[in-house]
């Protein structure tokens, strides 16, 4: 499992010998598990506070996910879900670039002022295809060295590091 955490999605498929035609079935099964277990899934430590601080600091928040929006909202919980201004959910495993672009258009934020945060190499690839900067977070699925090797605009080891990089100085102390 640890070796897989250093690979992108296509690399995982190759390593496990998964034929491309099976991917939609695997994704459907995984999304079903996420929907079933949404109430038991917990956010990483520090994420609720980070979302609140970013929003209070004037940063518009959006969320792009391959999971369904209702599942994402259940995992976030009502307080955190309410902090997100734009959702683009249900993206295919390799369809996040279009969702990123749609969220940017809907938000009215200039693409040059957008930073996509993610914990997978496919998130980085999707942000690049959409022409957006990417901030890799090392507390999720993909290992930090693999994310760093991809050359993200930022590499964050903690939620606090995200706040320090994105918030104006006056809002960082909050």
């Amino acid at each position: 499992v640890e070796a897989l955490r250093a690979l992108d999605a296509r690399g995982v498929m190759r390593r496990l010998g998964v034929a491309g035609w099976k991917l939609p079935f695997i994704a459907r099964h995984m999304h079903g598990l996420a929907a079933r277990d949404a109430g038991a899934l917990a956010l990483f430590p520090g994420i609720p506070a980070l979302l609140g601080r970013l929003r209070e600091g004037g940063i518009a928040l959006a969320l792009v996910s391959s999971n369904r929006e209702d599942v994402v909202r259940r995992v976030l919980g009502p307080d955190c879900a309410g902090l997100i201004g734009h959702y683009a959910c249900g993206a295919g495993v390799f369809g996040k670039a279009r969702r990123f672009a749609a969220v940017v258009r809907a938000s009215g934020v200039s693409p040059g002022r957008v930073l996509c945060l993610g914990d997978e190499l496919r998130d980085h690839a999707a942000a690049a295809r959409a022409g957006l900067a990417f901030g890799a977070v090392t507390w999720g699925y993909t290992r930090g060295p693999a994310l760093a090797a991809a050359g993200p605009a930022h590499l964050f080891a903690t939620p606090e590091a995200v706040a320090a990089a994105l918030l104006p100085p006056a809002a960082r102390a909050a």
Side-chain angles (χ1 to χ4, degrees), residues 108-121:
V109 174
S110 165
R113 295 186 44 82
V114 171
L115 179 65
C116 300
L117 296 177
D119 68 342
E120 293 185 48
L121 292 169

Side-chain angles (χ1 to χ4, degrees), residues 39-85:
L41 297 175
L43 298 177
F44 287 102
I47 297 304
L50 173 64
L51 294 175
R53 288 180 65 200
L54 293 177
R55 180 71 182 267
E56 288 172 10
I59 295 176
L61 301 176
L63 193 142
V64 174
S65 177
S66 56
N67 282 302
R68 295 187 336 242
E69 185 173 335
D70 66 305
V71 173
V72 170
R73 286 178 178 271
R74 277 190 292 158
V75 172
L76 286 171
D79 292 339
C80 287
L83 298 172
I84 308 297

